[in-house]
Amino acid sequence: MKDRPSFPPLPVPTRLVGGENLPTYARRHSEANGSRVEYIEAAVREQGYPLSKVRRASDRIDLWRQLGNLHPRAFTTPRTLGENLVNERDLCERCLPPGERGTGLLPHCGWVCIKHKRWIGKVQRDLSRYGEALVAERHWRGVLTSRGVVVDSPLTRFAEECATVGIAKSVREDRAERSHHKAPTLLVYPEIVKIARLLTRTSFLDAVLSGADGRWKRGLVEREVAAIFPDVRDAEPWRALNRVWDLVLDLDGQVREARVRGIIPSDYCNLLRYWTGSCMGLPHE
């Protein structure tokens, strides 16, 4: 818009939910005022302002900040965290007005809205009887967020794969009954968080990527992985152990090759940045 024109807020205010994106807010705000986004933006263009039609154009963001009387930081949620892409996803339905849906960027939390004790995956569920998931979410926000971990990253997908094969069937069934849902990610969420915390822990990576004896390293990984899963008769932590050990061997091999060839090691899960042996992305002794 030329000369940054000023527009008064629409009569009926609409609260912006944390992380909410521009399209969702614009739709909700326009509907709350008895209109539609395209009608409002068409009226702005008719006044002589060449408003862009690009979804996240700066002029559209500026317009809806004014129309909603929003803070200048509205719609500035980062799209990356720790070199990981932050994907848009559904917001907590309880954070929104009754009956409304919205999407946005939530880089600083996992799959749980702690405020409403609610799973915010594709199907949302009450977690008031599934306390392990609430505890896991607090650990996510207290540890994993500061380490730049986000949902749907290669690391969390790997952690989910490990958790799914290692968890006991009896534990999954118990959690499914308490949460009234059988979504795989929900049922192994506590273990996903624990595995992600382990693999991003500097002391762990320093140990398994050191020059220590291979049997000692294997024993360390066995103890760490076994401690993650509930100790019940039908648990199969060895399945998860095999995957974690393969990842450790792969990382170790990549680091060794990089040292020989003088190149930056490959790091699919983006883990080597937590390792003290890596300086500015370059391996060293």
Side-chain angles (χ1 to χ4, degrees):
M1 290 183 283
K2 61 182 182 181
D3 301 326
R4 293 184 61 83
S6 177
F7 294 94
L10 297 178
V12 180
T14 302
R15 181 176 63 87
L16 177 68
V17 177
E20 186 173 13
N21 59 29
L22 175 61
T24 292
Y25 178 81
R27 173 185 56 77
R28 294 199 303 114
H29 192 39
S30 59
E31 289 176 355
N33 284 272
S35 187
R36 297 175 63 175
V37 173
E38 53 267 37
Y39 296 161
I40 293 174
E41 294 187 350
V44 169
R45 295 186 183 95
E46 288 174 0
Q47 295 181 44
Y49 302 108
L51 190 65
S52 173
K53 293 186 178 181
V54 177
R55 192 171 184 232
R56 297 187 185 89
S58 59
D59 55 356
R60 292 192 67 231
I61 291 175
D62 182 63
L63 169 67
W64 286 99
R65 280 179 184 152
Q66 293 186 56
L67 296 179
N69 195 26
L70 303 176
H71 193 279
R73 289 198 298 269
F75 312 121
T76 61
T77 304
R79 302 194 67 82
T80 59
L81 182 67
E83 300 180 17
N84 289 309
L85 178 65
V86 180
N87 295 318
E88 289 189 358
R89 50 186 170 131
D90 290 340
L91 301 173
C92 173
E93 294 173 357
R94 296 287 177 83
C95 290
L96 293 160
E100 293 195 14
R101 301 290 297 271
T103 58
L105 302 171
L106 302 172
H108 305 303
C109 70
W111 285 112
V112 178
C113 172
I114 292 180
K115 179 180 180 180
H116 296 106
K117 298 181 180 180
R118 192 166 183 81
W119 182 257
I120 51 177
K122 292 182 179 179
V123 178
Q124 301 195 6
R125 285 291 185 270
D126 175 63
L127 299 178
S128 57
R129 297 181 59 222
Y130 184 6
E132 303 97 304
L134 302 178
V135 172
E137 181 64 25
R138 292 188 177 92
H139 287 162
W140 183 298
R141 299 186 188 194
V143 178
L144 294 183
T145 293
S146 64
R147 295 177 182 176
V149 178
V150 300
V151 299
D152 288 334
S153 66
L155 169 60
T156 53
R157 289 196 295 270
F158 174 79
E160 181 175 352
E161 176 187 339
C162 294
T164 300
V165 298
I167 198 72
K169 181 180 179 181
S170 60
V171 173
R172 289 200 308 268
E173 291 174 345
D174 172 66
R175 292 174 178 176
E177 181 180 354
R178 286 185 283 139
S179 63
H180 302 290
H181 197 47
K182 296 182 179 180
T185 307
L186 182 154
L187 299 182
V188 297
Y189 188 57
E191 289 69 36
I192 291 174
V193 174
K194 290 177 182 178
I195 292 171
R197 288 176 62 192
L198 172 66
L199 294 177
T200 57
R201 198 174 76 205
T202 296
S203 61
F204 175 77
L205 290 172
D206 285 352
V208 297
L209 296 179
S210 69
D213 177 74
R215 289 174 296 181
W216 179 86
K217 292 181 182 179
R218 173 76 181 194
L220 171 65
V221 176
E222 287 179 355
R223 292 191 297 273
E224 293 285 358
V225 172
I228 287 173
F229 294 91
D231 185 15
V232 295
R233 186 175 59 182
D234 58 333
E236 297 182 305
W238 60 271
R239 295 182 182 275
L241 165 65
N242 289 341
R243 286 164 170 77
V244 173
W245 181 242
D246 285 345
L247 175 64
V248 167
L249 292 178
D250 180 67
L251 285 175
D252 189 58
Q254 294 290 350
V255 169
R256 290 175 183 273
E257 181 181 4
R259 282 174 174 159
V260 172
R261 299 176 60 188
I263 61 175
I264 297 175
S266 175
D267 183 12
Y268 171 69
C269 286
N270 199 16
L271 294 175
L272 292 180
R273 60 200 178 101
Y274 307 108
W275 171 51
T276 57
S278 180
C279 179
M280 299 302 291
L282 298 174
H284 63 81
E285 296 289 346

